[in-house]
Amino acid sequence: MTRPKSLSRFNIASLALGLAFLYLPILILVIYSFNASRLVTVWGGWSLRWYYELFNDGAMIEAFWMSLRVAATSACIATLLGTLAAVALSRGASFRGRTLFSGMLYAPLVMPEVITGLSLLLLFVALNAERGFWTVTTAHTTLTMCFVAVVVQSRLTSLDRSLEEAAMDLGCDPARAFLMVTLPLILPAIVAGWMLAFTLSLDDLVIASFTTGPGSETLPIRIYSEVRLGVKPEINAICTLVVAGIAVVIIIASLASKLSNRQGESAAPL
C-alpha cells in the first residue's frame, strides 16, 4: 500500500491558481506604478514619474493623511470600547439585558454598510452635527468596535480564570488582578483587534461617503472619485505605497511575535 503524496500535482496547481488569483492583480498594479506611459494599459518603460506626480498632488496626500488619522483614532477608541464590551459579555454571563446588549453590539457585523451609513447620516443631521473628521471617526468606531469585541471575547473565553483567582487569593483586588494577570494574557488579542479595526477603517468607502464633509475626504473616497474619470497612474503609485506600508507592518509584527516567543521560551523554567 503506497502512501499518498502530501502535495500532488492537483494540490500544487490549485495552490498556484489561488495565489495567482489573490496576488497577481496586486503585482500588476505595483509594476504599472513604475510605468512611464500615461496610459495604464500601455507599457512605456520604467520610470518614477508618477511617484513625483503623486507627491506633488496635495489633494491626494491630504486624503491619505486624513485616512490615517481617522483609522488610528477610530481603532484606538474601538479597541477600548470593544475590549470593555468583551469583558462584560465574558465575565457577566447572567446580567440583565445581556442578550439585548450582545445583539446591539454585534448588529454591525450583519447589517449592510449602506444601512449603517444612512442611519448615522440621519443621526448626525438630527443632532445638527457638522460632518467632518469626528463624524467619520464616530462612524468607523461604530463599525469596527464589534470586530474587536469578537476577537477579544474569544480569547477571554479560552482563558483559564484560575490564574486571576489565584492572584486575588494572594491579595490582589479584582481590578489589579485584571491589570496584572488577565490584561497581559489577552494583549495579543487586543493588538490583533486594533490592527483589524485600523484596516477596516482605512479600507471603508461606503460609510465614510455618508458621514464625511468638506475638508475630510478620505483616501478611498478620493480614489473612487478619480477612478470614475479614468484610472490615473498616480493611483497605482499611492496604492503601491499603501501595500508596501502594510507589508512592512506585517513583517515587523511577525518579527516581534517571534522575538516574544523566543524570550518566553528562554525565560521558561527547565
Side-chain angles (χ1 to χ4, degrees), residues 38-40 226-236:
R38 177 172 292 275
L39 301 176
V40 294
E226 293 196 2
V227 165
R228 289 186 299 176
L229 302 176
V231 179
K232 297 169 58 178
E234 293 178 24
I235 297 177
N236 293 338

Side-chain angles (χ1 to χ4, degrees), residues 227-249:
V227 165
R228 289 186 299 176
L229 302 176
V231 179
K232 297 169 58 178
E234 293 178 24
I235 297 177
N236 293 338
I238 187 65
C239 292
T240 300
L241 293 177
V242 171
V243 171
I246 293 174
V248 170
V249 171

Side-chain angles (χ1 to χ4, degrees), residues 121 124-125 129-136 209-216:
L121 173 61
F124 295 143
V125 170
E130 183 180 356
R131 281 174 287 169
F133 172 82
W134 286 110
T135 55
V136 180
S209 63
F210 279 97
T211 57
T212 190
S216 60

Side-chain angles (χ1 to χ4, degrees), residues 67-82:
S67 289
L68 285 184
R69 293 196 298 269
V70 169
T73 306
S74 63
C76 292
I77 300 174
T79 300
L80 176 61
L81 297 179

Side-chain angles (χ1 to χ4, degrees), residues 44-173:
W46 297 94
S47 175
L48 295 175
R49 169 187 177 185
W50 303 114
Y51 287 91
Y52 292 114
E53 294 287 341
L54 171 65
F55 290 120
N56 291 325
D57 190 343
M60 186 72 74
I61 298 299
E62 179 62 29
F64 174 73
W65 288 116
M66 175 61 67
S67 289
L68 285 184
R69 293 196 298 269
V70 169
T73 306
S74 63
C76 292
I77 300 174
T79 300
L80 176 61
L81 297 179
T83 301
L84 294 176
V87 172
L89 289 174
S90 60
R91 300 298 171 84
S94 59
F95 72 90
R96 183 176 299 178
R98 183 180 188 277
T99 302
L100 177 62
F101 176 72
S102 60
M104 295 177 64
L105 177 65
Y106 296 138
L109 285 172
V110 296
M111 188 177 299
E113 291 188 359
V114 174
I115 297 178
T116 303
L118 180 59
S119 61
L120 288 171
L121 173 61
L122 295 177
L123 173 64
F124 295 143
V125 170
L127 296 176
N128 197 22
E130 183 180 356
R131 281 174 287 169
F133 172 82
W134 286 110
T135 55
V136 180
T137 301
T138 302
H140 284 182
T141 301
T142 304
L143 172 68
T144 58
M145 181 177 62
C146 56
F147 292 91
V148 178
V150 168
V151 175
V152 177
Q153 186 181 4
S154 63
R155 175 57 178 159
L156 284 170
T157 303
S158 62
L159 193 65
D160 187 3
R161 292 198 63 181
S162 62
L163 299 174
E164 190 174 342
E165 294 172 355
M168 289 187 288
D169 290 339
L170 293 174
C172 290
D173 56 85

Side-chain angles (χ1 to χ4, degrees), residues 198-212:
F198 181 84
T199 304
L200 290 172
S201 175
L202 196 65
D203 178 67
D204 177 71
L205 171 65
V206 178
I207 295 179
S209 63
F210 279 97
T211 57
T212 190

